[in-house]
Amino acid sequence: MKMNLAALANREAWEKVNVVLPQYDVAAMAARTKENPIWVHFGAGNIFRGFIAALQQRLLDEGLCDRGIVAADTFDYDIITRIYDAFDNLTMNVTLNPDATTSREIIASVAEALRADAGDKGQMARFAEIFENPSLQMVSFTITEKGYALRNMAGELMPVVVADMKEGPASARHAMSVVTALMLRRFEAGAYPIALVSMDNCSHNGEKLRSSVMEIAKAWYENGFVTDAFMAYLGDEAKVAFPWSMIDKITPRPAKVVEESLLADGIEDMAPIVTSRNTFIAPFVNAERPQYLVVEDRFPNGRPALEKAGVYMTDRDTVNCTERMKVTTCLNPLHTALAVYGCMLGYTLICEEMKDEELVKLIRRLGYVEGLPVVVDPRILSPKAFIDEVVEQRLPNPFMPDAPQRIATDTSQKVGIRFGETIKSYVAEGRDLGGLVSIPLAIAGWLRYLLGVDDNGAVMEISSDPMKDELQQKLAGIELGKPETYHGQLRGILSSEVIFGSDLCKIGLADRIEQIFVEELAGPGAVRATLRKYLA
């Protein structure tokens, strides 16, 4: 039995293996969507397939909407051809319950999947048709923090961005340039209203998206590619809105045990692939049950009834407070701290780390003691209850095959939000930075991790990160077992406001981080010893 549109007709066979099927006419939904699309999503990976696309499926199943989503990717085109096209845009969604049971559902709400490849004229022409259609209501994004970045660690524009700014909309390649070029097509077609909604785990995500789009547009304006009228259109939030959001659902790499269970029930071709961009992805998504999405309700051209699918639709202040609660305190900082230390201590599963006394102490102090005092209660969710669920249920879930190596990906793009925002709050409120223990430990641990040597002294693979080479070059010459090889190399990193959101040297936190880092260099076992010392 294979997952494709033709196979959906055999409902009895799917039901025998406990797979829930869509309750609507998938072909009719796809036809309506292609004619008058309402929703495009950039970033076609697991969080989209396992959460966002499933939200629209709820609405379709209940007859609350008659159109689906156009999925797109600006980075990894293999995902579109090998995961979407190959399976008729269907996804097997497998929920990993804490009681060791699983729930299966085929998600069919993706009506069309496209490659946002400037070199593919056919695909880009289809994008233009979609953006020129007055029916389009929203464009959402899960492209990770680095997807919005136009600059490197030194604050310099990336070469691809410089080229895009110079060559204009017709040659757009960077994700933000592509979106801005498509917005130009929408403007030229009639200046129709729309909402551009970042759903990534980064602070003030709507603001980051807007800032990057506006910077690209401004450069094109200065180079004569766009007009005053286009700039006015982009800048008018009654026409083009950039709602803020907070999203939370852990979607780990595809698990072998899930693949095997599907195969045992006769569901074929579920094996993961590795794309040319080194993405490890499967036709199925395995994910935890808890999920949260909070979205600022500013949609000038209307929107699907997302609140009826469990989304919190609210105002910007509430989104901001909820996002800060989760991204800067209640989950993401804990995840990053577990990731870097877990890699160095030889763990391959987050749930196994939650049996480690020092690591549990580290994240409990990070969340409850250092983070909670500066978090504003968003009221729609309790910060303490949120951390309780994370620490007591979500992270220890033994049926969630999430790995610290996955979480450690792109850490340079995350530390400024996950730790830097709390640091800034301490400074703004006049709190004593000397009382921070877990945050300096987490930052020092990340820098120690970048040496590529674990706590036993063995060579360790570093997860992908756009700044990895640059950062490792700054750490060159530092050796495990030779603390004397450290002579201030961290200063150039710790002073970077691009990375941390503030200059940690100027505010007086760098000395503590350096001290911890040097202690973790003492030799094999020094990372463990340092954790025990500071968390005693």
Side-chain angles (χ1 to χ4, degrees):
M1 188 160 57
K2 298 186 178 183
M3 186 175 64
N4 54 44
L5 287 176
L8 294 186
N10 190 357
R11 300 188 73 88
E12 184 179 348
W14 291 105
E15 289 166 1
K16 280 184 179 179
V17 292
N18 300 311
V19 176
V20 176
L21 297 182
Q23 302 301 305
Y24 52 92
D25 185 328
V26 177
M29 175 277 295
R32 285 190 294 266
T33 305
K34 287 182 180 180
E35 185 176 355
N36 288 301
I38 58 171
W39 186 351
V40 173
H41 183 89
F42 286 97
N46 288 344
I47 189 68
F48 167 68
R49 296 192 296 150
F51 187 3
I52 298 164
L55 294 174
Q56 192 69 354
Q57 175 120 322
R58 297 286 80 73
L59 299 181
L60 287 161
D61 278 343
E62 295 174 21
L64 298 171
C65 190
D66 65 355
R67 281 164 285 179
I69 305 173
V70 178
D73 211 280
T74 60
F75 175 72
D76 197 335
Y77 308 137
D78 283 354
I79 292 176
I80 300 300
T81 56
R82 300 177 65 185
I83 294 296
Y84 283 84
D85 294 349
F87 295 90
D88 293 340
N89 299 327
L90 303 177
T91 293
M92 178 69 70
N93 200 3
V94 181
T95 301
L96 307 171
N97 302 312
D99 63 358
T101 63
T102 60
S103 306
R104 300 169 175 172
E105 179 181 21
I106 289 180
I107 303 297
S109 59
V110 173
E112 188 176 1
L114 299 172
R115 300 179 303 278
D117 178 0
D120 189 324
K121 292 183 179 180
Q123 294 280 286
M124 296 313 296
R126 176 58 185 147
F127 272 113
E129 290 175 356
I130 292 169
F131 273 74
E132 289 169 357
N133 196 319
S135 66
L136 187 62
Q137 296 177 329
M138 63 184 289
V139 181
S140 54
F141 302 80
T142 50
I143 56 176
T144 75
E145 293 95 328
K146 65 183 177 183
Y148 306 97
L150 304 181
R151 289 176 163 72
N152 61 19
M153 190 175 71
E156 301 163 337
L157 287 171
M158 298 176 188
V160 65
V161 175
V162 172
D164 283 351
M165 289 176 169
K166 179 181 179 182
E167 296 170 16
S171 302
R173 285 152 293 206
H174 187 280
M176 295 293 96
S177 307
V178 169
V179 171
T180 309
L182 290 170
M183 288 301 296
L184 178 61
R185 299 296 294 258
R186 187 165 183 81
F187 166 74
E188 292 172 340
Y192 303 121
I194 196 168
L196 305 183
V197 192
S198 170
M199 294 181 178
D200 274 298
N201 283 322
C202 52
S203 183
H204 299 180
N205 50 18
E207 183 178 290
K208 290 184 185 300
L209 172 58
R210 184 179 190 276
S211 176
S212 294
V213 167
M214 294 303 294
E215 185 167 357
I216 295 287
K218 182 181 178 183
W220 285 347
Y221 174 74
E222 292 172 349
N223 290 330
F225 292 110
V226 300
T227 63
D228 288 315
F230 176 63
M231 297 302 294
Y233 166 70
L234 274 188
D236 182 358
E237 293 211 34
K239 282 275 193 176
V240 182
F242 293 84
W244 295 11
S245 73
M246 186 284 284
I247 192 168
D248 179 30
K249 186 180 182 74
I250 299 173
T251 52
R253 284 163 57 102
K256 188 68 175 177
V257 65
V258 173
E259 177 195 347
E260 290 172 347
S261 72
L262 294 170
L263 183 60
D265 281 337
I267 304 171
E268 304 171 53
D269 296 339
M270 290 287 110
I273 64 165
V274 178
T275 70
S276 58
R277 291 281 193 165
N278 207 35
T279 302
F280 186 76
I281 192 168
F284 66 90
V285 174
N286 44 230
E288 64 174 350
R289 181 169 294 282
Q291 59 185 36
Y292 302 91
L293 180 58
V294 184
V295 180
E296 180 186 2
D297 199 359
R298 285 195 306 123
F299 290 78
N301 201 31
R303 61 170 176 77
L306 295 170
E307 69 279 3
K308 295 182 180 178
V311 179
Y312 295 88
M313 303 303 299
T314 184
D315 56 71
R316 178 171 292 188
D317 286 343
T318 302
V319 173
N320 189 35
C321 291
T322 310
E323 176 267 325
R324 286 183 64 84
M325 178 200 76
K326 182 252 178 179
V327 176
T328 72
T329 301
C330 296
L331 174 59
N332 295 56
L334 282 58
H335 239 167
T336 293
L338 284 173
V340 296
Y341 278 103
C343 291
M344 290 189 289
L345 295 175
Y347 286 104
T348 56
L349 289 173
I350 293 290
C351 59
E352 290 299 317
E353 290 190 69
M354 293 302 292
K355 300 174 184 176
D356 187 303
E357 182 180 356
E358 276 82 40
L359 295 181
V360 172
K361 284 182 179 179
L362 172 69
I363 65 166
R364 280 187 171 274
R365 179 178 177 90
L366 185 58
Y368 290 110
V369 178
E370 299 180 13
L372 273 184
V374 294
V375 167
V376 177
D377 189 343
R379 294 184 176 85
I380 60 171
L381 296 169
S382 161
K384 183 180 182 302
F386 197 98
I387 296 184
D388 289 344
E389 182 183 54
V390 167
V391 173
E392 296 169 11
Q393 298 178 39
R394 297 174 67 183
L395 296 180
N397 183 348
F399 309 105
M400 273 287 292
D402 208 1
Q405 291 75 17
R406 181 187 80 89
I407 305 299
T409 301
D410 300 335
T411 301
S412 70
Q413 308 299 293
K414 302 171 181 175
V415 289
I417 307 303
R418 301 184 180 193
F419 308 117
E421 290 299 309
T422 295
I423 292 168
K424 287 193 287 187
S425 293
Y426 269 68
V427 172
E429 296 179 14
R431 291 176 177 266
D432 180 14
L433 291 173
L436 296 177
V437 175
S438 284
I439 288 178
L441 273 169
I443 294 173
W446 169 52
L447 296 168
R448 164 66 181 79
Y449 159 83
L450 285 172
L451 297 181
V453 179
D454 68 18
D455 199 32
N456 292 322
V459 174
M460 172 183 67
E461 184 177 354
I462 302 299
S463 299
S464 63
D465 189 303
M467 290 187 173
K468 182 173 74 172
D469 293 343
E470 191 173 354
L471 291 166
Q472 288 186 322
Q473 186 175 1
K474 289 181 178 294
L475 299 173
I478 301 174
E479 296 182 37
L480 178 66
K482 297 181 180 180
E484 67 274 10
T485 58
Y486 179 73
H487 44 78
Q489 292 99 318
L490 297 192
R491 288 275 156 171
I493 300 172
L494 297 176
S495 62
S496 173
E497 295 187 20
V498 173
I499 296 178
F500 295 105
S502 58
D503 185 333
L504 303 188
C505 297
K506 286 184 179 178
I507 65 175
L509 195 59
D511 290 347
R512 167 66 72 88
I513 295 169
E514 284 184 298
Q515 178 183 344
I516 294 169
F517 178 82
V518 171
E519 290 179 32
E520 292 185 340
L521 285 179
V527 169
R528 173 69 70 184
T530 304
L531 285 171
R532 284 177 178 157
K533 171 184 172 180
Y534 284 91
L535 297 167

